[in-house]
Amino acid sequence: MPNAKPKSASAPREEIVIARQMHQALVLHFLEGLTQAQIADQLGISHATVNRLIKRGRQLGLVEIKIKSPVEPLVEIEEQLLALGGIRRAVVVPTVSENPQIALQAVGEAAARLMIEEIADGDTICITGGKGVSAVVAGLQPPRRFDIEVIPATGCVQGKHYTDVNHVSTLMADRLGGRSFQIHAPLFADSEAERRMLLGMRSVADVFKRAREAKVAVVGIGSILSDDSSYYDLHPSSSTDREAIERSGASCELLAHLLNDHGRVCDYSLNRRLVSLTLSEFASIPTKIGVASGPTKAGPILSVMRGNHLDTLVTDQATGARILELAKGGEHP
C-alpha cells in the first residue's frame, strides 16, 4: 500500500497570514484613518488586495460602526416614552438647569421650533394659558410672518399674565404676525346653568367653533397636588376646596379639566362649570402639543399620556426620566 501523502501545512498558514493582513488593513483604515493606497505601501501588498481585504472583512462582520452622539440619551428617553403609549411623538431636551424656570424656557423654545414646523399660512392655532404655553410664546423666533389665527381654547382668568389666555393669545399672534381672537367669558361659570348660557352666546360660541376647527393646539399640563400648582390661581374657591379636589382623585389638569391617574375627567363641581373645549372636542384637533417640565409635572404628564389626550409631548430630560420611573414602578402619578 503506497504511503499516504502528508497534508500540507501551508494552507492553514496562508489563512492565518490573510486573516492577519485583514485585521491590519481594517485597523489601519477604520481606526487610524489611512487610505487604501497608504495601507498597501505599509503592508507591502497591492492596492487591489487591500480593497479585497477590507471588503471581505466587512462581509464577515468584523467591522462594527457605532456613532456616539450627545443627543443619544435624549433619543433613548424619547423612544421609551413612546413605548409607554398615549403619544405618537416625544421631544426631550437637556435639563439645562435645576431652576425650573430656566428648564421650562428650554422646553418652551423646543416646542416653539416644533410648532413653527407644523404651521402654514391659513392655519388656526388654539391654546390654553399657563406657564408652559407662555414659555412657547417667549421662545418663538419665526423665520417670516405667518397668516394664522390664534384662538383661546378656554375661558379667561385675569390677574397673572400667564393665566390670562387672551393675553397669551395676543402675544403669540403678534410674534407670528397673525391675528388673535379674544374670548369674553370667564374660565368658570357660577353655575351649570350660567355655563350653558355663556356657551350659547354668539361671541363665545364663535370662539369655540374656531378652536374646534384648529389644526394645531398648544397646551400646558397642570399639576394639582403640588404647592406650586397654577390651578389654584384659576378660581378663588379651589384653594379652600383642596380636600374635595383630592377626594375626587384628581392628579392633573388639562384645559382646566381635572383628571385622575388614568386621564379621565373627575367628578368635581368645577369641572361641570368649566367654560372650555370639552376633551372630546379637543381630541378632534389634528396636532395636539403638550408642554411641561419640572419634578412636579412628571405624574400629571403620565396621567395625560394614559388618557391618550396628546399627540406630542415636549419636556426635559429630568422630567422624562421621572415619568419613566413612575411608569416602571407602577406608581400612581
Side-chain angles (χ1 to χ4, degrees):
M1 184 174 178
N3 293 333
K5 188 175 180 180
K7 292 182 180 179
S8 171
S10 63
R13 281 200 209 97
E14 288 176 6
E15 291 175 4
I16 291 171
V17 169
I18 292 171
R20 193 182 302 278
Q21 285 181 336
M22 186 182 298
H23 173 78
Q24 289 174 314
L26 293 172
V27 169
L28 291 171
H29 184 60
F30 289 103
L31 296 185
E32 298 187 21
L34 271 63
T35 66
Q36 293 186 13
Q38 290 170 325
I39 296 169
D41 289 341
Q42 186 163 325
L43 299 183
I45 55 180
S46 70
H47 190 164
T49 300
V50 173
N51 184 277
R52 284 196 299 272
L53 290 171
I54 291 174
K55 184 177 180 180
R56 183 59 179 157
R58 298 194 70 168
Q59 290 173 341
L60 293 172
L62 302 181
V63 178
E64 293 182 359
I65 299 175
K66 187 172 183 180
I67 300 173
K68 289 285 188 181
S69 167
V71 302
E72 188 174 349
L74 306 178
V75 173
E76 185 176 345
I77 291 176
E78 290 171 355
E79 290 173 349
Q80 291 180 52
L81 289 171
L82 290 177
L84 290 180
I87 54 173
R88 60 177 174 83
R89 177 171 52 180
V91 177
V92 177
V93 301
T95 303
V96 294
S97 171
E98 292 184 3
N99 183 324
Q101 292 182 341
I102 302 299
L104 182 59
Q105 179 181 336
V107 171
E109 290 170 356
R113 289 191 295 270
L114 180 65
M115 192 185 79
I116 291 294
E117 293 172 4
E118 291 287 337
I119 62 174
D121 289 332
D123 285 346
T124 296
I125 306 165
C126 82
I127 67 166
T128 62
K131 296 175 183 175
V133 180
S134 294
V136 177
V137 173
L140 282 171
Q141 293 183 335
R144 62 177 181 85
R145 295 177 66 85
F146 286 87
D147 180 18
I148 50 87
E149 295 179 349
V150 184
I151 312 289
T154 71
C156 184
V157 176
Q158 294 183 338
K160 297 183 179 179
H161 63 89
Y162 57 82
T163 65
D164 187 338
V165 69
N166 284 339
H167 175 70
V168 180
S169 173
T170 300
L171 288 179
M172 179 177 283
D174 286 347
R175 291 258 184 161
L176 293 172
R179 302 173 303 284
S180 67
F181 281 73
Q182 306 285 291
I183 188 162
H184 301 292
L187 181 58
F188 296 102
D190 290 336
S191 66
E192 293 180 56
E194 184 179 280
R195 174 185 178 274
R196 289 191 294 270
M197 181 196 73
L198 287 169
L199 292 176
M201 292 174 59
R202 180 177 296 179
S203 61
V204 176
D206 180 59
V207 169
F208 284 134
K209 179 179 181 295
R210 290 175 181 273
R212 287 192 296 271
E213 295 171 350
K215 177 189 172 185
V216 177
V218 183
V219 301
I221 300 170
S223 56
I224 291 298
L225 305 178
S226 61
D227 291 335
D228 62 347
S229 170
S230 299
Y231 182 79
Y232 303 107
D233 296 329
L234 303 181
H235 193 276
S237 70
S238 59
S239 57
T240 58
D241 204 18
R242 186 159 180 166
E243 287 186 9
I245 290 174
E246 293 182 9
R247 285 197 304 272
S248 75
S251 64
C252 65
E253 64 89 3
L254 183 70
L255 280 75
H257 295 272
L258 291 184
L259 310 180
N260 64 17
D261 294 344
H262 301 287
R264 300 192 186 100
V265 177
C266 295
D267 182 16
Y268 177 62
S269 60
L270 284 183
N271 275 347
R272 295 188 290 274
R273 291 188 271 140
L274 184 59
V275 180
S276 167
L277 288 184
T278 66
L279 293 184
S280 60
E281 291 171 334
F282 178 67
S284 67
I285 297 171
T287 301
K288 299 173 287 292
I289 302 171
V291 184
S293 75
T296 63
K297 293 297 180 80
I301 292 170
L302 182 57
S303 295
V304 170
M305 289 172 63
R306 287 171 174 168
N308 298 290
H309 296 297
L310 299 175
D311 302 296
T312 302
L313 170 67
V314 186
T315 191
D316 68 300
Q317 187 173 2
T319 307
R322 180 57 183 155
I323 294 168
L324 296 173
E325 286 176 9
L326 290 172
K328 183 178 180 181
E331 298 178 50
H332 290 298

